[in-house]
Amino acid sequence: METRGELRIDPGSLAPAGESPAIELTVLYTESDSTEALLRHAVALTAGLDAKIHLVAVHTIPYPCDFECPASVHAHLVNRLVEIASRCPLPVRPEVVLARSRAEGFQFALEPESTVLIGSRKHFWRTPEEKLARILAHDGHKVALMHVA
């Protein structure tokens, strides 16, 4: 039987079903403003829990290019993640992954059955973040899609 994850949209809490009040939450960096709003939501959603956050950004490299990242681009992304993480009251572990596609990079960075938080803007059409959330839920992760302003 194939294991599938869970997709919840705008949940009120991320408290695990078990007795353990500890949770490691993976927040996916998609754009600066929505990621900052998502971290504020994460603090509220994990109130009363021993929460740690793994902040993941993917630097995509198209197929015709060599699989390397210019140092200035990589440094800018790392600095941006560290800056965002410094504003969060929870412990945050930032990580930048190089990959050929955004979905592939996030799939590589996630532990099996991770609890994932993805921010998306409300839109009439399905957003790339909503598509990513469905892919990750299908891979067996517990995904919470948060609509941020």
Side-chain angles (χ1 to χ4, degrees):
M1 180 173 196
E2 190 174 318
T3 304
R4 292 208 178 171
E6 174 184 355
L7 174 60
R8 296 174 9 187
I9 299 175
D10 293 327
S13 172
L14 293 177
E19 295 180 21
S20 173
I23 184 171
E24 178 159 344
L25 188 63
T26 303
V27 174
L28 305 186
Y29 177 91
T30 53
E31 59 181 53
S32 274
D33 294 338
S34 66
T35 302
E36 288 189 55
L38 199 55
L39 284 174
R40 287 190 297 273
H41 280 296
V43 171
L45 290 171
T46 59
L49 299 173
D50 178 21
K52 295 179 181 138
I53 296 179
H54 179 202
L55 180 60
V56 179
V58 174
H59 180 95
T60 57
I61 301 171
Y63 277 104
C65 298
D66 291 333
F67 201 73
E68 59 186 37
C69 178
S72 62
V73 174
H74 184 76
H76 174 73
L77 187 53
V78 168
N79 288 339
R80 189 68 191 128
L81 286 183
V82 169
E83 180 184 327
I84 291 171
S86 69
R87 292 191 205 118
C88 184
L90 299 173
V92 179
R93 177 174 52 101
E95 178 182 5
V96 177
V97 176
L98 297 177
R100 295 293 184 185
S101 74
R102 191 166 75 154
E104 195 177 279
F106 287 131
Q107 287 169 321
F108 173 79
L110 296 174
E111 296 292 325
E113 299 180 9
S114 293
T115 302
V116 181
L117 209 57
I118 302 175
S120 176
R121 299 192 187 282
K122 277 210 176 231
H123 197 275
F124 181 74
W125 304 106
R126 185 175 290 168
T127 64
E129 290 80 14
E130 290 171 349
K131 292 176 186 175
L132 178 62
R134 291 186 186 279
I135 289 169
L136 296 176
H138 182 17
D139 287 348
H141 302 289
K142 295 176 233 66
V143 180
L145 180 69
M146 303 296 298
H147 290 109
V148 294

